[in-house]
Amino acid sequence: MKNEVRIQEVDASLNNRRNFLKLSGLTLVGAGLIMAGCSDNDNDDPVVDNMLPGIKNGKFDLGAGDFGVLTYAYALEQLEADFYTKVVNASSFNSTFNEIEKQVLTDLYHHEVVHRDFFKAALSGGLPDPSSQLLPTLAFNYGSLNFNSRADVLATAKALEDTGVAAYNGAGKLIKNADYLLLAGKIVSVEARHASAIRSLINPNSKDFAGDDIVNMNTGLDDAKDPSKILAIAGGFITTEFTAKYLP
């Protein structure tokens, strides 16, 4: 895989808006931050300490505190990675999308797989007992979504990316560890680029890449949603049962 993965131009304006991150840089810098934070967990709140991720009342619960938020993010990254894996491996991928679209979707696939594996490694290294506290690999069902349909794939990608941005924005206020918050800021910036790229593929040469349906015209900020609202949306694709009783 190339050290620098970037979205190639759909038109001049799209090309000028996007210079994608170096995956190797994000992985190394981000992993260093989160692994250091996990290993030096200094959370003194006994209530939160007793609400680590794990089985509660027969079902896996995402938990509370920073580990709960990271596990929540891991669940969402599993969904996005699974979706794009199915997209690029669909039987008609090469004929359904043009060369630029294939490059964009392949780039997003690489990013989301890195994010997923990154959270898994970080949580595995930071949780006191990852054998029982690490969220298992989730299963997904996309219903009638046709992975050989350009319209279906791009519409679903748009929904997932917009939801991902709102999820990270909404989770920021729940994160206490400054290193984790910095990491979330790095990743949400990438997710926002994903959302912008997909929107530009759907409607090139338009303002949709930062439409007022996702950017608040009064604050100039993207949507931010609590985990309960995000999981109500993403849960439509997730068939593995889990709870999030301690997240707002």
Side-chain angles (χ1 to χ4, degrees):
M1 181 171 57
K2 296 179 180 179
N3 285 337
E4 181 170 336
V5 179
R6 63 192 309 162
I7 288 186
Q8 298 181 10
E9 64 177 345
V10 174
D11 52 50
S13 61
L14 178 60
N15 185 54
N16 289 336
R17 286 198 300 267
R18 283 170 188 70
N19 288 307
F20 253 52
L21 79 164
K22 291 182 179 179
L23 286 178
S24 58
L26 174 67
T27 304
L28 294 175
V29 174
L33 286 172
I34 197 167
M35 293 302 284
C38 287
S39 61
D40 295 329
N41 182 30
D42 57 0
N43 188 354
D44 294 326
D45 185 347
V47 176
V48 172
D49 284 343
N50 290 332
M51 293 181 184
L52 287 166
I55 301 296
K56 294 177 176 61
N57 299 319
K59 291 183 181 179
F60 191 96
D61 189 89
L62 300 183
D66 286 349
F67 281 128
V69 176
L70 296 180
T71 301
Y72 161 63
Y74 177 39
L76 297 179
E77 295 296 353
Q78 283 197 46
L79 170 57
E80 290 189 313
D82 182 82
F83 170 74
Y84 286 110
T85 298
K86 287 182 169 58
V87 169
V88 300
N89 285 288
S91 59
S92 298
F93 179 67
N94 288 327
S95 58
T96 298
F97 300 97
N98 63 37
E99 289 303 314
I100 293 173
E101 292 168 343
K102 285 189 290 185
Q103 184 63 59
V104 170
L105 292 168
T106 300
D107 287 349
L108 268 59
Y109 155 71
H110 286 305
H111 290 185
E112 301 300 0
V113 168
V114 167
H115 292 173
R116 179 200 64 196
D117 293 349
F118 165 61
F119 276 108
K120 182 177 181 179
L123 286 165
S124 295
L127 287 165
D129 182 13
S131 65
S132 64
Q133 296 167 340
L134 179 67
L135 180 72
T137 299
L138 302 176
F140 306 96
N141 187 316
Y142 300 92
S144 60
L145 192 157
N146 180 1
F147 282 93
N148 290 313
S149 163
R150 179 183 181 277
D152 281 10
V153 167
L154 293 183
T156 304
K158 175 184 174 182
L160 289 177
E161 297 297 350
D162 287 350
T163 299
V165 174
Y168 277 101
N169 286 342
K173 64 185 179 184
L174 306 175
I175 300 174
K176 295 182 179 179
N177 184 296
D179 286 341
Y180 298 168
L181 187 59
L182 177 60
L183 172 69
K186 286 175 177 287
I187 294 182
V188 74
S189 71
V190 179
E191 298 293 347
R193 291 179 183 231
H194 290 180
S196 179
I198 292 295
R199 285 167 164 264
S200 292
L201 289 184
I202 294 173
N203 194 6
N205 301 313
S206 74
K207 297 180 180 179
D208 285 2
F209 73 95
D212 57 14
D213 58 322
I214 52 166
V215 178
N216 187 295
M217 295 299 292
N218 295 317
T219 65
L221 301 176
D222 270 309
D223 278 346
K225 295 181 180 179
D226 286 338
S228 59
K229 293 183 178 180
I230 294 295
L231 291 173
I233 299 170
F237 297 117
I238 303 172
T239 59
T240 303
E241 291 189 20
F242 63 83
T243 57
K245 295 180 179 179
Y246 307 108
L247 294 175

